[in-house]
Amino acid sequence: MSTRTQRGGGGGIIGAIRADLNQLHGAWMELVFPRQRGRGHSVMGKWRPETLPQKIAYYAWSVFGTLGLLILYPLTVIGFATRYYAAKLDSTRTRLGIVGVTAIALLVWGTLTVIAHFQLPVEETIAIGAASAVATISTALAAGTSKVGGRPVSVLFAYPFAMTALFLPPVVAALVTPSLEGVVLEPSYDFAAWALDNILHVGGLNEFLRSNYELEGAAYAAMWVGISFPLGWFLGTVVALANLVRPSE
């Protein structure tokens, strides 16, 4: 049992969750008040309010933070899972190196483009070739920015480029392999329809998209590139939150 779990007041999952919540709440309290994360080794100890105005402000801020944890902690759990799988991918990148990862991506995407050349019209082949170039460059940029390190670089660049590199292969493969259409393209169409009706209806954006664009062919690839960046920023942010609560060793 770790020291952190012992401080949380229990073992196992419940103790770990309690310790995480204490860590998050303490970090929230320290935004306004000093010494709130219960550092047992500190001679000065945890700060407590003394005057009535201090107590009102302290407990109001505490309650507000507790309500925020109802949203933040589930996101932290997503961050833990994302960090685990990101570490697996980063381990592969470390073994192969940036050049090796890029070479594999180039081989895979070059093969898909050649297949498209023999099965699809010239316009579709060119679009898939462009998607292949985007995916290969995204793979190289994800590997490169991950190696550079630093939380802002990872959140802003490494995660979005990695999402692009992960999303495009099944979509492009489905475009050149009819047997995959029902597995990849049809759910993508259903998701796009749901997003237009429930997320992109603000300001009539859904009507603009429906009037000017058709979701067919390489437009599926473009749609997932558009999704990969905000999703990558979201995942990078929740991983940063997970690192705040429970730093990776």
Side-chain angles (χ1 to χ4, degrees):
M1 185 186 300
S2 68
T3 303
R4 182 192 299 272
T5 303
Q6 290 175 345
R7 285 198 304 265
I13 295 176
I14 300 300
I17 292 175
R18 185 178 291 114
D20 289 340
L21 292 175
N22 287 337
Q23 180 78 356
L24 272 175
H25 192 265
W28 167 259
M29 295 300 293
E30 282 191 346
L31 292 176
V32 176
F33 304 98
R35 305 194 315 275
Q36 291 298 303
R37 276 185 271 195
R39 301 180 180 90
H41 61 276
S42 175
V43 176
M44 298 183 67
K46 186 177 180 179
W47 182 87
R48 295 288 185 183
E50 297 179 356
T51 65
L52 180 60
Q54 285 179 345
K55 291 180 180 180
I56 293 174
Y58 183 88
Y59 290 112
W61 189 250
S62 177
V63 169
F64 189 56
T66 301
L67 295 176
L69 286 178
L70 297 176
I71 298 174
L72 280 180
Y73 192 71
L75 296 179
T76 304
V77 174
I78 295 174
F80 291 147
T82 303
R83 185 175 67 183
Y84 173 80
Y85 290 106
K88 297 293 184 183
L89 292 174
D90 192 59
S91 176
T92 301
R93 190 270 306 165
T94 301
R95 289 196 302 270
L96 297 176
I98 297 175
V99 174
V101 170
T102 304
I104 292 175
L106 187 60
L107 176 63
V108 171
W109 286 106
T111 301
L112 285 173
T113 304
V114 171
I115 293 173
H117 172 69
F118 289 107
Q119 294 188 2
L120 299 175
V122 175
E123 294 81 3
E124 288 292 326
T125 301
I126 293 174
I128 289 175
S132 300
V134 170
T136 302
I137 294 172
S138 295
T139 301
L141 290 173
T145 52
S146 177
K147 184 176 181 179
V148 169
R151 194 167 297 171
V153 173
S154 296
V155 173
L156 291 176
F157 300 107
Y159 279 94
F161 287 132
M163 289 297 100
T164 300
L166 289 174
F167 284 159
L168 281 182
V171 175
V172 174
L175 292 175
V176 299
T177 309
S179 61
L180 295 177
E181 181 176 342
V183 179
V184 177
L185 300 187
E186 290 181 6
S188 296
Y189 185 90
D190 293 338
F191 174 77
W194 176 85
L196 288 172
D197 292 335
N198 296 278
I199 299 177
L200 301 176
H201 65 280
V202 178
L205 181 59
N206 56 348
E207 295 300 328
F208 172 80
L209 293 174
R210 283 193 169 103
S211 301
N212 292 276
Y213 300 98
E214 293 185 5
L215 188 58
E216 59 182 16
Y220 283 101
M223 180 188 80
W224 283 107
V225 170
I227 292 172
S228 65
F229 275 80
L231 180 59
W233 290 326
F234 168 75
L235 292 177
T237 300
V238 296
V239 168
L241 181 61
N243 287 335
L244 174 65
V245 175
R246 196 184 299 168
S248 58
E249 296 180 359

